[in-house]
Amino acid sequence: MDDFPDLSLSGEVMEISNVKKESPLNTPNNQSGNYVKIVERFPVNIKVEIGARDKEKFKNQMSCTVRVATAPK
């Protein structure tokens, strides 16, 4: 959480919304044929276990920096 830089939490990704089937890196987006990387934002729901002592610190609309590790199933 950005308000608590020393706090580290872990969780499980429950849902990724608005993910397109076609990645912006799959097709050229300009006439020269060069690949153009486009930054996109989309909602991600993550289930996080928070202890009762820390729960009261969190409020709606707080921002955070998230790293998602992926692995094949």
Side-chain angles (χ1 to χ4, degrees), residues 8-23:
S8 178
L9 301 170
S10 61
E12 179 181 353
V13 174
M14 303 305 290
E15 179 182 11
I16 301 175
S17 301
N18 299 328
V19 175
K20 297 178 182 179
K21 290 182 181 178
E22 185 176 309
S23 168

Side-chain angles (χ1 to χ4, degrees), residues 26-65:
N26 289 342
T27 57
N29 289 328
N30 60 29
Q31 290 180 349
S32 69
N34 293 330
Y35 292 97
V36 178
K37 183 176 181 180
I38 298 173
V39 176
E40 294 188 43
R41 295 177 185 217
F42 47 88
V44 177
N45 291 327
I46 302 172
K47 182 179 180 180
V48 179
E49 298 286 332
I50 301 173
R53 189 179 81 219
D54 292 328
K55 224 175 216 183
E56 62 192 42
K57 296 178 184 179
F58 299 100
K59 307 291 182 211
N60 286 334
Q61 304 298 319
M62 292 177 82
S63 62
C64 62
T65 302

